[in-house]
């Protein structure tokens, strides 16, 4: 007995066609109405039409099928079930015909294999700042992009910190030798990138490769540099000026992993020897080491009058020999911080910091310090008549 054989029942009338089997002992018999009847394999027998005809027996299965065929071929004599079934089947056929789609409209799932470049099996990854208009850095939008200049895929995460709290800015996977835009920022967002971290693993698909160490790099993005036009230059990756920060180059990370950074060592390295010596001298001096200058430089400060501190390099440093602009800026900020800490208990005290106009770098750095580390202090531009354009008035937290 096999699927498709005509069978009849031994213990009762009826029969049908073998539609399938359940296990070894149960056969599924489909009757003329299309229902599948489970029967013991011992209760059915294969119909031999020729033998039945010679012995004067007629298979009920054959008769039912002939009757059913006649009814279907004769208009108006179909059973309700046959009519309904036939109607739905015709509808389905029609619907299938109506919804046939052109193979050309199907989605293309083929992806061309990634082509590798010769000599790019070392990891080279950069963080890029690309302004829309490099001549108006204070008013233009700037794209922050990740550059993968290698034959490796990167599964990455990029985050920034506010104090000890980190925020995920972007994560994903990028293909070899590509660029990915992490986000687009404006000038007011620059400070949020000061402490940034990049983590990634590198791999290749569908081929063997040399395993690379996991990437875990912390970057210090100086916000003030993003305002300086001369620091944006031509690069191999962009047609327009851009500023690049190295994350990994030649398989070597830009700096030690985040967990291994020594904050004191980093601070020491940022200051030149000349600046460190000057700071030590100031620390040994009395509280008035950072003396008032300008209109109060030669006399005692009157009640309710502001303390005036001139942050010009020639006022706070005996010499700038051996110091570059970053060293001088760091020392000016150190004097600023120390002044506020020394007068922290004098609530409501007004302190005027003279920083000069210039490019506004020192002023922006002072505002950044106030917003990050002296949040209770208020500030505003100092009187133009008394101090000119380049001065900021800070009021000690009350």
């Amino acid at each position: 007995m096999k699927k498709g054989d005509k069978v009849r029942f031994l213990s009762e009338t009826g029969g049908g066609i073998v539609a399938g089997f359940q296990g070894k002992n149960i056969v599924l018999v489909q009757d003329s109405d299309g229902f599948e009847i489970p029967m013991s394999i011992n209760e059915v027998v294969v119909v031999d039409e020729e033998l039945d005809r010679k012995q004067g027996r007629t298979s009920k299965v054959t008769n039912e099928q002939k009757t059913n065929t006649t009814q279907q071929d004769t208009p108006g004599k179909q059973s309700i079930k046959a009519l309904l079934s036939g109607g739905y089947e015709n509808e389905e056929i029609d619907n299938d015909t109506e919804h046939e789609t052109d193979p050309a409209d199907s989605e293309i799932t083929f992806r061309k294999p990634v082509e590798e470049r010769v000599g790019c099996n070392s990891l080279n990854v950069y963080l890029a700042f690309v302004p829309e208009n490099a001549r108006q850095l204070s008013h233009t939008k700037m794209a922050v992009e990740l550059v993968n200049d290698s034959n490796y895929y990167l599964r990455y995460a990029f985050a920034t910190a506010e104090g000890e709290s980190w925020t995920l800015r972007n994560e994903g996977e990028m293909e070899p030798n590509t660029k990915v835009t992490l986000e687009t920022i404006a000038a007011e967002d620059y400070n949020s990138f000061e402490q940034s971290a990049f983590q990634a693993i590198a791999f290749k698909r569908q081929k063997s490769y040399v395993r690379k160490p996991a990437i875990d790099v912390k970057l210090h993005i100086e916000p003030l540099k993003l305002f300086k036009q001369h620091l944006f230059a031509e690069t191999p990756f962009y047609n327009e000026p851009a500023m690049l920060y190295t994350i990994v180059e030649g398989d070597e990370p830009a700096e030690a992993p985040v967990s291994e950074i020594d904050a004191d060592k980093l601070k020491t390295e940022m200051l030149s020897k000349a600046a460190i010596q000057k700071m030590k001298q100031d620390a040994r001096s009395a509280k008035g080491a950072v003396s008032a200058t300008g209109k109060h430089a030669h006399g005692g400060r009157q009640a309710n009058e502001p303390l005036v501190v001139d942050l010009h390099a020639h006022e706070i440093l005996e010499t700038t020999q051996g110091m570059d602009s970053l060293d001088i800026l760091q020392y000016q900020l150190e004097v600023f911080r120390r002044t506020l800490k020394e007068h922290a208990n004098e609530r409501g005290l007004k302190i005027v910091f003279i920083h000069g106009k210039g490019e506004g770098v020192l002023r922006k750095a002072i505002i950044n310090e106030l917003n990050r580390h002296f949040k209770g202090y208020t500030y505003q531009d100092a009187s133009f008549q008394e101090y000119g354009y380049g001065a900021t008035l800070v009021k000690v937290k009350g």
Side-chain angles (χ1 to χ4, degrees):
M1 188 181 300
K2 62 182 181 299
K3 189 174 180 181
D5 284 347
K6 294 181 180 180
V7 296
R8 55 188 173 83
F9 304 142
L10 294 178
S11 59
E12 56 185 276
T13 60
I17 298 174
V18 176
F21 299 89
Q22 287 184 348
K24 296 180 179 180
N25 300 318
I26 301 298
V27 61
L28 299 177
V29 180
Q30 184 178 33
D31 64 10
S32 59
D33 291 327
F35 292 102
E36 292 185 357
I37 304 171
M39 294 291 292
S40 171
I41 201 168
N42 297 323
E43 295 295 325
V44 298
V45 63
V46 177
V47 174
D48 187 338
E49 294 183 0
E50 184 64 26
L51 180 61
D52 285 347
R53 187 165 48 255
K54 289 180 180 179
Q55 296 180 354
R57 293 196 303 269
T58 302
S59 169
K60 184 176 179 180
V61 175
T62 304
N63 289 338
E64 287 178 349
Q65 289 178 341
K66 287 180 179 179
T67 301
N68 191 38
T69 303
T70 303
Q71 288 177 346
Q72 290 179 357
D73 292 340
T74 305
K77 293 186 178 182
Q78 289 177 286
S79 66
I80 294 174
K81 180 177 179 181
L83 286 170
L84 292 175
S85 175
Y88 286 135
E89 287 174 359
N90 290 336
E91 272 188 38
E92 289 176 3
I93 293 171
D94 292 340
N95 289 339
D96 289 343
T97 303
E98 291 176 4
H99 291 88
E100 284 184 359
T101 57
D102 189 337
D105 296 333
S106 302
E107 181 182 357
I108 298 175
T109 57
F110 172 77
R111 296 181 65 183
K112 183 180 178 181
V114 174
E115 294 184 4
E116 294 192 349
R117 294 190 298 137
V118 177
C120 291
N121 282 323
S122 296
L123 288 182
N124 296 284
V125 185
Y126 307 92
L127 184 67
F129 291 86
V130 188
E132 291 181 0
N133 186 346
R135 296 185 178 182
Q136 296 184 352
L137 296 174
S138 299
H139 308 288
T140 189
K141 296 288 186 181
M142 187 173 303
V144 183
E145 299 194 352
L146 192 62
V147 180
N148 178 16
D149 186 31
S150 74
N151 290 332
Y152 282 78
Y153 286 85
L154 289 179
R155 183 68 187 174
Y156 68 88
F158 178 74
T160 57
E162 178 68 29
E164 296 298 322
S165 178
W166 288 89
T167 301
L168 180 66
R169 305 293 289 254
N170 195 290
E171 59 85 22
E173 181 179 299
M174 64 186 306
E175 294 185 347
N177 303 301
T178 57
K179 296 176 289 189
V180 171
T181 300
L182 302 179
E183 59 183 284
T184 302
I185 61 174
E188 57 267 24
D189 304 314
Y190 293 172
N191 287 338
S192 65
F193 282 81
E194 185 171 359
Q195 298 298 328
S196 302
F198 179 83
Q199 296 173 302
I201 56 171
F203 59 93
K204 291 187 180 183
R205 283 201 169 99
Q206 300 176 345
K207 60 176 62 181
S208 59
Y209 60 91
V210 176
R211 189 175 64 88
K212 305 291 185 180
I215 303 170
D216 187 0
V217 171
K218 184 177 179 183
L219 299 172
H220 179 76
I221 311 296
E222 178 55 58
L224 297 177
K225 289 185 177 181
L226 299 178
F227 290 98
K228 296 183 177 182
Q229 182 180 340
H230 68 277
L231 295 180
F232 290 82
E234 294 183 1
T235 68
F237 312 110
Y238 298 95
N239 294 325
E240 60 271 23
M243 182 185 296
L244 293 184
Y245 281 84
T246 300
I247 296 175
V248 178
E249 194 167 55
D251 288 337
E252 295 295 329
E255 59 182 39
V258 175
S259 59
E260 296 180 12
I261 290 179
D262 186 327
D264 293 333
K265 182 179 179 181
L266 180 61
K267 183 177 180 180
T268 301
E269 291 175 351
M270 291 177 64
L271 298 173
S272 68
K273 292 182 179 180
I276 294 172
Q277 290 174 357
K278 179 63 181 175
M279 289 173 62
K280 289 180 179 179
Q281 291 174 4
D282 290 339
R284 290 194 295 267
S285 301
K287 233 180 183 183
V290 182
S291 60
T293 59
K295 65 180 288 186
H296 304 301
H298 304 290
R301 179 167 55 88
Q302 300 298 321
N304 298 325
E305 288 189 348
L307 172 66
V308 182
V309 179
D310 194 335
L311 294 177
H312 282 98
H314 65 271
E315 292 289 343
I316 59 176
L317 286 167
E318 293 179 0
T319 177
T320 58
Q321 185 176 0
M323 301 176 68
D324 59 22
S325 58
L326 179 60
D327 295 331
I328 294 172
L329 176 62
Q330 291 292 340
Y331 186 71
Q332 289 170 319
L333 291 177
E334 183 64 28
V335 172
F336 170 77
R337 296 187 198 103
R338 189 165 64 248
T339 301
L340 291 183
K341 289 178 182 179
E342 288 174 354
H343 297 278
N345 295 326
E346 300 179 46
R347 297 183 177 181
L349 173 65
K350 296 178 180 179
I351 307 175
V352 175
F353 291 97
I354 300 175
H355 44 68
K357 186 178 179 182
E359 296 181 2
V361 175
L362 180 55
R363 181 183 183 278
K364 289 185 177 71
I366 288 174
I367 301 304
N368 182 52
E369 284 290 320
L370 288 168
N371 290 334
R372 288 173 59 86
H373 304 297
F374 300 93
K375 295 183 178 179
Y377 292 60
T378 59
Y379 61 89
Q380 65 185 59
D381 290 335
S383 170
F384 165 72
Q385 294 180 344
E386 293 187 69
Y387 308 104
Y389 283 112
T392 299
L393 173 64
V394 179
K395 187 176 180 180
V396 177
K397 179 169 61 175

